[in-house]
Amino acid sequence: MRPDLNDFEGIWTFDRRVTHEAGLPAKASGHAVFTPDGTGLRYDETGQLRINDVSPMTATRCYLWRRGGVVLFEDGRAFHTIPDDQGPARHYCGADTYHVRYDFLNWPIWTSRWSVTGPKKAYDMATVYQPG
């Protein structure tokens, strides 16, 4: 069962592993902050991305989370909806397809697992979130 939107409010730490079909594996870790924005929550993520021996890079992203599990891009465009039953969700970006499954069974520790396929992308990404 998906937690209530307000249950996400606050600071979370995250650890992410990215496995590319034809490339180097990557890791990222940092903080995700959910803050009220008047319509739901704003998700702001800042972390350090590490690919092999290359110097770490700062990575950021922002999404808007709404009631009913609706996730929007920062500019308000639809991204995906988190199913209440933890089933899969999808997002189509041109010919590339993003499949995601969220797992809230060990709440407040939760995960998202992405599988991205298409002519331009082929990777899996797993992220673990914990209260931070």
Side-chain angles (χ1 to χ4, degrees), residues 79-83 86-91 98-102 111-115 125:
F79 187 23
H80 65 280
T81 299
I82 303 168
Q86 300 188 115
R90 283 177 204 74
H91 171 73
Y98 293 68
H99 297 270
V100 62
R101 185 177 296 269
Y102 291 84
T111 63
S112 66
R113 296 186 186 279
W114 290 88
S115 177
M125 180 171 64

Side-chain angles (χ1 to χ4, degrees), residues 1 6 23-24 26 30 32 34 40 46 55-57 68 87 89 91 99 117 132:
M1 189 87 169
N6 294 334
L24 298 172
F34 287 87
T46 303
S55 295
M57 299 172 273
H91 171 73
H99 297 270
T117 58

Side-chain angles (χ1 to χ4, degrees), residues 3-67:
D4 184 71
L5 181 64
N6 294 334
D7 294 335
F8 291 94
E9 187 175 338
I11 300 171
W12 300 81
T13 61
F14 71 88
D15 285 298
R16 178 172 297 137
R17 302 291 178 262
V18 183
T19 306
H20 291 269
E21 187 175 280
L24 298 172
K27 298 178 185 179
S29 59
H31 289 90
V33 181
F34 287 87
T35 55
D37 69 356
T39 313
L41 296 175
R42 178 184 169 99
Y43 170 99
D44 286 292
E45 176 182 300
T46 303
Q48 292 295 306
L49 175 66
R50 293 172 181 80
I51 302 171
N52 220 12
D53 293 332
V54 177
S55 295
M57 299 172 273
T58 298
T60 63
R61 62 176 66 190
C62 174
Y63 297 111
L64 306 174
W65 283 40
R66 302 297 182 240
R67 298 238 174 260

